[in-house]
Amino acid sequence: MAMASRGAAGALEASVPASPGTAGLAEAIGRMAQLVEHSRERIRLLEAVIENFPGGVSLFDQDLNMVICNQRQRTLLDYPDDLFANGYPSMEMLFRFNAERGEYGPGEVELHVARRLALVRQREAHVYERTRPNGTIVEVRGMPIDGGGFVTTYFDVTEQRRDQATIAHMAHHDALTDLPNRMLFSDRLHSAVALARRGALMAVHYLDLDKFKPVNDGFGHKAGDRLLIDVAARLRGAVRDHDTVARLGGDEFAIVQTGIAEKTDAAALASRIIDRFREPFTVAGTPFVLGLSVGIALAPGDGVTSDDLLQKADMALYRSKSGGRGTFHFFEA
């Protein structure tokens, strides 16, 4: 009888529905669990994006404390593990670390830190390039975010900048001799003429090789190219750093000589070059004397335009070649 009573009681309990409060709580907990799982999934996706970002990326909160820094940034900027031993560093700690290891160049450490913190507090987007002590060129992009904080990206642009420099160099230099070509020579001459208009003295030397054609005819163009490279080296060694030696084409060269005080300075350079060319070159293992003729025009006396000076230097060169070669002449009206 007692057992029957317990059975009836159990049946009664099973038939009693759960209270509305309990059901609502269970449903709310279920929804929260879904939201938590959804948030975790979004966090996992965000972490995957950050770690697979093609450059370094870091995020700072409104107090300028680092909250995110991917491995690529730590590798690119050579951040040691002990920098993160106590968690992520603040932006101030990071600036001080970089200043102490010379990332920002010479100067007082605290001055570097203060200057950079002041720029950050202006909360302005910025893009700049920094060349690290190891020669790596890093492009840095910073962007303030809503609510405070900063996100910064870092890209290694070293190869890109080297390629650009190589292309720019090739556009302004002779492919064979690596001397400035006609384009760069014109720019340098234009700048020198502008100074001459204000009273500075400068000279244009027009140079032409004597007996170069027999080298190409007798030894071949490869030997002729090798000879032109040696000619360029001798010309470079005869001038000062601020003078410009250019190959205008074929066996024609020119020099823009600046910073001279009088006409005799131009004569001294021409004489020095001609003397150097009296020493034989080696062509295909054979000593070969290659003469040189020079024509000189002076600015502002002979003209104050690039075309005028080149034309008059060319006329002076014609006098040198017709007068026996291996000499130099100034332009004479």
Side-chain angles (χ1 to χ4, degrees), residues 44-254:
R44 284 194 292 269
L45 289 173
L46 177 60
E47 289 175 344
V49 170
I50 291 173
E51 286 305 323
N52 289 279
F53 187 70
V57 60
S58 57
L59 175 66
F60 295 85
D61 63 18
Q62 61 184 359
D63 298 319
L64 300 182
N65 293 314
M66 180 183 280
V67 293
I68 290 176
C69 179
N70 68 352
Q71 185 59 43
R72 194 176 294 270
Q73 177 172 335
R74 294 174 65 162
T75 302
L76 175 61
L77 299 181
D78 295 318
Y79 290 161
D81 292 338
D82 57 9
L83 183 63
F84 300 85
N86 298 316
Y88 286 122
S90 67
M91 186 174 286
E92 181 176 351
M93 292 170 58
L94 198 57
F95 283 157
R96 186 169 289 108
F97 169 76
N98 280 333
E100 288 174 347
R101 64 176 180 163
E103 287 287 320
Y104 306 139
E108 295 183 10
V109 169
E110 295 307 317
L111 187 60
H112 280 301
V113 174
R115 184 183 298 122
R116 279 163 174 77
L117 284 175
L119 291 174
V120 170
R121 291 186 178 111
Q122 293 178 9
R123 294 189 51 74
E124 294 180 353
H126 55 266
V127 180
Y128 65 92
E129 290 183 2
R130 172 157 58 90
T131 301
R132 300 195 57 229
N134 64 4
T136 302
I137 303 174
V138 180
E139 180 189 78
V140 184
R141 292 177 176 265
M143 177 68 69
I145 56 179
D146 294 339
F150 243 90
V151 60
T152 308
T153 60
Y154 300 82
F155 289 93
D156 185 347
V157 295
T158 309
E159 291 302 319
Q160 181 181 350
R161 296 298 174 264
R162 285 176 181 166
D163 291 344
Q164 291 173 345
T166 299
I167 292 171
H169 183 87
M170 291 172 62
H172 293 90
H173 289 77
D174 176 57
L176 177 64
T177 64
D178 202 39
L179 290 176
N181 59 15
R182 186 179 290 272
M183 181 184 298
L184 182 55
F185 174 79
S186 296
D187 289 342
R188 300 277 177 85
L189 178 56
H190 181 77
S191 298
V193 168
L195 293 175
R197 291 194 189 103
R198 295 194 286 269
L201 184 63
M202 55 84 59
V204 176
H205 299 249
Y206 214 130
L207 297 77
D208 188 66
L209 301 179
D210 301 327
K211 303 178 183 177
F212 178 72
K213 189 174 183 300
V215 174
N216 276 337
D217 294 342
F219 298 94
H221 288 282
K222 187 174 181 179
D225 288 347
R226 180 67 253 177
L227 178 58
L228 288 173
I229 294 172
D230 293 341
V231 165
R234 287 199 190 182
L235 292 176
R236 280 196 197 97
V239 302
R240 299 164 300 176
D241 291 340
H242 55 79
D243 296 329
T244 298
V245 182
R247 183 188 179 201
L248 303 185
D251 61 346
E252 292 185 350
F253 296 81

